[in-house]
Amino acid sequence: MHNGGMNSATWFVSEGGERWVAKAVAPGSRRSFMGGLEVAAHVEAAGVPAGTPVVTRHGSVVADVDGVPLGLLNWVAGNGLLGRSPDEQRLIGATLARVHAALSERLRSRFRCWLPGPVSCCGPGG
């Protein structure tokens, strides 16, 4: 087991020169886990490596193993950043800015009925 997961158990998985991270969460955290995997896919689609989920052969991003939600995430190569130098701090800030930019467009489209400006696609009562 790798002790790097946040609110989860994680393991490194290797096969034939490829690497992944297996991540298990408590059953009550399944919905938020799946939401996080969706966000990772969106961020990676915007060009920021984010450890996207590997889809199971049944088309899901999460498999239940003995009632425990388990995901297999693509490995993101590189070294962890601790922000100990100004260069690392700038890289962390620039990366977070890219993540925020990618997610702000997603949030704008999801919550457009509550944001100022012209809206033509809200449903009844929207």
Side-chain angles (χ1 to χ4, degrees), residues 25-88:
V25 299
S29 298
R30 187 180 212 287
R31 184 174 175 197
S32 61
F33 182 38
M34 291 187 70
L37 296 175
E38 181 183 336
V39 167
H42 187 78
V43 168
E44 183 138 323
V48 181
T52 55
V54 177
V55 177
T56 70
R57 47 187 180 149
H58 301 291
S60 178
V61 295
V62 174
D64 287 310
V65 178
D66 295 330
V68 176
L70 179 70
L72 186 65
L73 313 178
N74 286 300
W75 181 264
V76 176
N79 297 316
L81 298 174
L82 301 175
R84 290 188 178 146
S85 71
D87 286 342
E88 277 193 0

Coordinates of all heavy atoms in Angstrom, one line a residue, residues 25-88:
V25 N -11.9 3.9 -1.9 CA -12.5 4.8 -1.0 C -13.6 4.1 -0.2 O -14.0 3.0 -0.5 CB -13.1 6.1 -1.7 CG1 -12.0 6.8 -2.4 CG2 -14.2 5.7 -2.6
A26 N -14.0 4.7 0.9 CA -15.1 4.2 1.7 C -16.4 4.2 0.9 O -16.6 5.1 0.1 CB -15.3 5.0 3.0
P27 N -17.2 3.1 1.1 CA -18.4 3.1 0.3 C -19.3 4.3 0.3 O -19.8 4.7 -0.7 CB -19.2 1.9 0.9 CG -18.1 1.0 1.4 CD -17.0 2.0 1.9
G28 N -19.3 5.0 1.4 CA -20.1 6.3 1.5 C -19.5 7.4 0.7 O -20.1 8.4 0.5
S29 N -18.3 7.3 0.2 CA -17.6 8.3 -0.6 C -17.6 8.0 -2.1 O -17.0 8.8 -2.8 CB -16.1 8.4 -0.1 OG -16.0 8.8 1.2
R30 N -18.4 7.0 -2.5 CA -18.4 6.7 -3.9 C -18.8 7.8 -4.8 O -18.1 8.1 -5.8 CB -19.4 5.5 -4.1 CG -19.3 4.9 -5.5 CD -20.4 3.8 -5.6 NE -20.0 2.7 -6.6 CZ -20.0 2.9 -7.9 NH1 -20.3 4.0 -8.4 NH2 -19.6 1.9 -8.6
R31 N -19.8 8.5 -4.5 CA -20.3 9.6 -5.4 C -19.3 10.7 -5.5 O -19.0 11.2 -6.6 CB -21.6 10.2 -4.8 CG -22.2 11.2 -5.7 CD -23.6 11.7 -5.2 NE -24.1 12.8 -6.0 CZ -25.0 13.5 -5.6 NH1 -25.7 13.4 -4.5 NH2 -25.4 14.5 -6.4
S32 N -18.6 11.1 -4.4 CA -17.6 12.2 -4.5 C -16.4 11.7 -5.2 O -15.7 12.4 -5.9 CB -17.3 12.8 -3.1 OG -16.8 11.8 -2.3
F33 N -16.1 10.4 -5.0 CA -14.9 9.8 -5.7 C -15.2 9.9 -7.3 O -14.3 10.3 -8.0 CB -14.8 8.4 -5.3 CG -13.6 7.6 -5.9 CD1 -12.4 8.2 -6.2 CD2 -13.7 6.3 -6.2 CE1 -11.3 7.5 -6.7 CE2 -12.7 5.5 -6.7 CZ -11.5 6.1 -7.0
M34 N -16.4 9.5 -7.7 CA -16.7 9.5 -9.1 C -16.7 11.0 -9.6 O -16.2 11.2 -10.7 CB -18.0 8.9 -9.4 CG -17.9 7.3 -9.2 SD -19.4 6.4 -9.6 CE -19.3 6.6 -11.4
G35 N -17.1 11.9 -8.8 CA -17.1 13.3 -9.2 C -15.6 13.8 -9.4 O -15.3 14.5 -10.3
G36 N -14.8 13.4 -8.5 CA -13.3 13.7 -8.6 C -12.7 13.2 -9.8 O -11.9 13.8 -10.5
L37 N -13.1 11.9 -10.2 CA -12.5 11.3 -11.4 C -13.0 12.1 -12.6 O -12.3 12.2 -13.6 CB -12.9 9.8 -11.4 CG -12.4 9.0 -10.3 CD1 -12.9 7.5 -10.4 CD2 -10.9 9.0 -10.3
E38 N -14.3 12.5 -12.6 CA -14.8 13.3 -13.7 C -14.0 14.6 -13.8 O -13.7 15.1 -14.9 CB -16.3 13.6 -13.5 CG -16.9 14.4 -14.6 CD -18.4 14.7 -14.3 OE1 -19.0 14.0 -13.5 OE2 -18.9 15.7 -14.8
V39 N -13.7 15.3 -12.7 CA -12.9 16.5 -12.7 C -11.5 16.2 -13.3 O -11.0 17.0 -14.1 CB -12.9 17.1 -11.3 CG1 -11.8 18.2 -11.3 CG2 -14.2 17.7 -10.9
A40 N -10.9 15.1 -12.9 CA -9.6 14.8 -13.4 C -9.6 14.6 -14.9 O -8.7 15.1 -15.6 CB -9.1 13.5 -12.7
A41 N -10.6 14.0 -15.4 CA -10.7 13.8 -16.9 C -10.9 15.2 -17.6 O -10.3 15.4 -18.6 CB -11.9 12.9 -17.2
H42 N -11.7 16.1 -17.0 CA -11.9 17.4 -17.6 C -10.6 18.2 -17.6 O -10.2 18.8 -18.6 CB -13.0 18.1 -16.8 CG -13.4 19.4 -17.5 ND1 -14.2 19.5 -18.6 CD2 -13.0 20.7 -17.1 CE1 -14.3 20.7 -18.9 NE2 -13.6 21.5 -18.1
V43 N -9.9 18.2 -16.4 CA -8.6 18.9 -16.3 C -7.6 18.4 -17.3 O -6.9 19.1 -18.0 CB -8.1 18.8 -14.9 CG1 -6.7 19.3 -14.7 CG2 -9.0 19.7 -14.0
E44 N -7.5 17.0 -17.4 CA -6.5 16.5 -18.3 C -6.9 16.8 -19.8 O -6.0 17.1 -20.6 CB -6.4 14.9 -18.2 CG -5.4 14.4 -19.1 CD -4.5 13.3 -18.4 OE1 -4.2 13.4 -17.2 OE2 -4.2 12.4 -19.1
A45 N -8.2 16.8 -20.1 CA -8.6 17.2 -21.5 C -8.2 18.6 -21.8 O -8.0 19.0 -23.0 CB -10.1 17.0 -21.6
A46 N -8.0 19.4 -20.8 CA -7.6 20.8 -20.9 C -6.0 20.9 -21.0 O -5.5 22.0 -21.1 CB -8.1 21.7 -19.8
G47 N -5.3 19.8 -20.9 CA -3.9 19.8 -21.0 C -3.1 19.7 -19.8 O -1.9 19.8 -19.8
V48 N -3.7 19.5 -18.6 CA -3.0 19.4 -17.4 C -3.1 17.9 -16.9 O -4.1 17.4 -16.7 CB -3.7 20.3 -16.3 CG1 -2.9 20.1 -15.0 CG2 -3.8 21.7 -16.7
P49 N -1.9 17.3 -16.9 CA -1.9 15.8 -16.4 C -2.5 15.7 -15.1 O -2.2 16.4 -14.1 CB -0.4 15.5 -16.4 CG 0.3 16.5 -17.3 CD -0.6 17.8 -17.1
A50 N -3.5 14.8 -15.0 CA -4.3 14.7 -13.7 C -4.6 13.3 -13.3 O -5.4 13.1 -12.4 CB -5.6 15.5 -13.9
G51 N -4.0 12.3 -13.8 CA -4.3 10.9 -13.3 C -5.7 10.5 -13.6 O -6.5 10.2 -12.7
T52 N -6.1 10.5 -14.9 CA -7.4 10.2 -15.3 C -7.7 8.7 -15.0 O -6.9 7.8 -15.0 CB -7.6 10.4 -16.8 OG1 -6.6 9.7 -17.5 CG2 -7.5 11.9 -17.1
P53 N -9.0 8.4 -14.8 CA -9.4 7.0 -14.6 C -9.3 6.1 -15.8 O -9.6 6.6 -16.9 CB -10.8 7.1 -14.1 CG -11.4 8.4 -14.7 CD -10.2 9.3 -14.8
V54 N -9.0 4.9 -15.6 CA -9.0 3.9 -16.7 C -10.4 3.2 -16.6 O -10.9 2.8 -15.6 CB -8.0 2.8 -16.4 CG1 -8.0 1.7 -17.5 CG2 -6.6 3.4 -16.4
V55 N -11.1 3.2 -17.7 CA -12.5 2.6 -17.8 C -12.4 1.1 -17.7 O -11.5 0.5 -18.4 CB -13.2 3.1 -19.1 CG1 -14.5 2.5 -19.2 CG2 -13.2 4.6 -19.1
T56 N -13.3 0.5 -16.9 CA -13.3 -0.9 -16.8 C -13.9 -1.5 -18.1 O -14.4 -0.8 -19.0 CB -14.3 -1.4 -15.7 OG1 -15.6 -1.1 -16.1 CG2 -13.9 -0.7 -14.4
R57 N -13.8 -2.8 -18.3 CA -14.3 -3.4 -19.5 C -15.8 -3.4 -19.6 O -16.4 -3.6 -20.6 CB -13.8 -4.9 -19.7 CG -13.9 -5.7 -18.5 CD -13.2 -7.0 -18.7 NE -13.4 -7.7 -17.4 CZ -13.6 -8.9 -17.2 NH1 -13.4 -9.8 -18.2 NH2 -13.8 -9.4 -16.0
H58 N -16.5 -2.9 -18.5 CA -17.9 -2.8 -18.4 C -18.3 -1.3 -18.6 O -19.5 -1.0 -18.5 CB -18.5 -3.3 -17.1 CG -18.2 -4.7 -16.9 ND1 -18.7 -5.8 -17.6 CD2 -17.3 -5.3 -16.0 CE1 -18.3 -6.9 -17.2 NE2 -17.4 -6.7 -16.2
G59 N -17.3 -0.5 -18.9 CA -17.6 0.9 -19.2 C -17.7 1.9 -18.0 O -18.1 3.0 -18.1
S60 N -17.3 1.5 -16.8 CA -17.4 2.3 -15.6 C -16.0 2.8 -15.2 O -15.0 2.2 -15.6 CB -18.0 1.5 -14.4 OG -18.0 2.3 -13.3
V61 N -15.9 3.9 -14.5 CA -14.6 4.3 -14.0 C -14.3 3.8 -12.6 O -13.2 4.0 -12.1 CB -14.5 5.9 -14.0 CG1 -14.5 6.4 -15.5 CG2 -15.6 6.5 -13.2
V62 N -15.3 3.2 -12.0 CA -15.2 2.6 -10.7 C -15.7 1.2 -10.7 O -16.8 0.9 -11.2 CB -15.9 3.5 -9.6 CG1 -15.9 2.8 -8.2 CG2 -15.3 4.9 -9.5
A63 N -15.0 0.3 -10.0 CA -15.5 -1.1 -9.9 C -15.7 -1.3 -8.4 O -14.9 -0.8 -7.5 CB -14.4 -2.1 -10.4
D64 N -16.7 -2.1 -8.0 CA -16.9 -2.4 -6.6 C -16.3 -3.7 -6.3 O -16.6 -4.7 -7.0 CB -18.4 -2.4 -6.3 CG -19.0 -1.1 -6.3 OD1 -18.5 -0.2 -5.6 OD2 -20.1 -0.8 -7.0
V65 N -15.3 -3.7 -5.4 CA -14.6 -4.9 -5.0 C -15.0 -5.2 -3.6 O -14.6 -4.4 -2.7 CB -13.1 -4.8 -5.2 CG1 -12.4 -6.0 -4.7 CG2 -12.8 -4.4 -6.6
D66 N -15.8 -6.2 -3.3 CA -16.2 -6.6 -2.0 C -16.9 -5.4 -1.3 O -16.8 -5.1 -0.2 CB -15.1 -7.1 -1.1 CG -14.5 -8.4 -1.6 OD1 -15.3 -9.2 -2.2 OD2 -13.3 -8.6 -1.4
G67 N -17.7 -4.6 -2.2 CA -18.4 -3.5 -1.7 C -17.6 -2.2 -1.5 O -18.1 -1.2 -1.1
V68 N -16.4 -2.2 -1.9 CA -15.5 -1.1 -1.8 C -15.3 -0.5 -3.2 O -14.8 -1.2 -4.1 CB -14.1 -1.4 -1.2 CG1 -13.2 -0.2 -1.2 CG2 -14.3 -2.0 0.2
P69 N -15.6 0.8 -3.4 CA -15.3 1.5 -4.7 C -13.8 1.5 -5.0 O -13.0 2.0 -4.1 CB -15.9 2.9 -4.6 CG -16.8 2.8 -3.4 CD -16.3 1.7 -2.5
L70 N -13.4 1.0 -6.1 CA -12.0 1.0 -6.5 C -11.8 1.6 -7.9 O -12.6 1.2 -8.8 CB -11.5 -0.4 -6.5 CG -10.0 -0.7 -6.9 CD1 -9.1 -0.1 -5.8 CD2 -9.8 -2.1 -7.1
G71 N -10.9 2.5 -8.1 CA -10.6 3.1 -9.4 C -9.2 2.8 -9.7 O -8.3 2.7 -8.9
L72 N -8.9 2.7 -11.0 CA -7.5 2.6 -11.5 C -7.2 3.8 -12.3 O -7.9 4.2 -13.3 CB -7.4 1.3 -12.4 CG -6.0 1.0 -12.9 CD1 -5.1 0.6 -11.7 CD2 -6.0 -0.2 -13.9
L73 N -6.2 4.5 -11.9 CA -5.9 5.9 -12.4 C -4.6 5.8 -13.2 O -3.6 5.1 -12.8 CB -5.7 6.9 -11.3 CG -6.8 6.9 -10.2 CD1 -6.5 7.9 -9.2 CD2 -8.1 7.1 -10.9
N74 N -4.5 6.5 -14.3 CA -3.3 6.6 -15.1 C -2.2 7.2 -14.3 O -2.5 8.2 -13.6 CB -3.6 7.3 -16.4 CG -4.3 6.5 -17.4 OD1 -3.9 5.4 -17.8 ND2 -5.5 7.0 -17.8
W75 N -1.0 6.7 -14.5 CA 0.1 7.3 -13.8 C 0.5 8.6 -14.4 O 0.6 8.8 -15.6 CB 1.3 6.3 -13.9 CG 2.5 6.7 -13.2 CD1 3.6 7.3 -13.8 CD2 2.9 6.5 -11.9 NE1 4.6 7.5 -12.9 CE2 4.2 7.0 -11.7 CE3 2.2 5.9 -10.8 CZ2 4.8 7.0 -10.4 CZ3 2.8 5.8 -9.6 CH2 4.1 6.4 -9.4
V76 N 0.9 9.6 -13.5 CA 1.4 10.8 -14.0 C 2.9 10.9 -13.6 O 3.2 10.9 -12.4 CB 0.7 12.0 -13.4 CG1 1.3 13.3 -13.8 CG2 -0.8 12.0 -13.7
A77 N 3.7 10.8 -14.6 CA 5.2 10.8 -14.4 C 5.6 12.1 -13.9 O 5.0 13.2 -14.1 CB 5.9 10.5 -15.7
G78 N 6.7 12.1 -13.1 CA 7.3 13.4 -12.6 C 7.6 13.2 -11.1 O 7.5 12.2 -10.5
N79 N 8.1 14.3 -10.6 CA 8.5 14.4 -9.2 C 7.5 15.3 -8.5 O 7.0 16.3 -9.0 CB 9.9 15.0 -9.1 CG 10.9 14.1 -9.7 OD1 10.9 12.9 -9.6 ND2 11.8 14.7 -10.5
G80 N 7.2 14.9 -7.2 CA 6.4 15.7 -6.4 C 7.0 17.1 -6.1 O 8.2 17.2 -6.0
L81 N 6.1 18.1 -6.0 CA 6.6 19.4 -5.7 C 6.2 19.8 -4.3 O 5.1 19.6 -3.9 CB 6.0 20.4 -6.7 CG 6.3 20.2 -8.2 CD1 5.5 21.2 -9.0 CD2 7.8 20.4 -8.4
L82 N 7.2 20.4 -3.6 CA 6.9 20.8 -2.2 C 6.9 22.3 -2.0 O 6.5 22.8 -0.9 CB 8.0 20.2 -1.3 CG 8.1 18.6 -1.3 CD1 9.3 18.2 -0.5 CD2 6.8 18.0 -0.8
G83 N 7.2 23.0 -3.1 CA 7.2 24.5 -3.0 C 8.3 25.0 -2.1 O 8.2 26.1 -1.6
R84 N 9.5 24.3 -2.1 CA 10.6 24.8 -1.2 C 11.4 25.9 -1.9 O 12.2 26.6 -1.3 CB 11.5 23.6 -0.9 CG 10.8 22.7 0.1 CD 11.7 21.6 0.6 NE 11.0 20.8 1.6 CZ 11.2 19.5 1.8 NH1 12.1 18.9 1.1 NH2 10.5 18.9 2.7
S85 N 11.3 26.0 -3.2 CA 12.1 27.0 -3.9 C 11.1 27.9 -4.7 O 10.0 27.5 -5.0 CB 13.0 26.4 -5.0 OG 12.3 25.8 -6.1
P86 N 11.6 29.1 -5.0 CA 10.7 30.1 -5.8 C 10.3 29.5 -7.1 O 9.2 29.7 -7.6 CB 11.6 31.3 -6.0 CG 12.5 31.3 -4.8 CD 12.8 29.8 -4.5
D87 N 11.2 28.7 -7.8 CA 10.8 28.1 -9.1 C 9.7 27.1 -8.9 O 8.8 27.0 -9.7 CB 12.0 27.4 -9.7 CG 13.0 28.4 -10.3 OD1 12.7 29.6 -10.5 OD2 14.2 28.0 -10.5
E88 N 9.8 26.3 -7.8 CA 8.7 25.3 -7.6 C 7.4 26.0 -7.2 O 6.3 25.6 -7.7 CB 9.1 24.3 -6.4 CG 9.9 23.2 -6.9 CD 10.0 22.1 -5.8 OE1 9.4 22.2 -4.7 OE2 10.7 21.1 -6.1

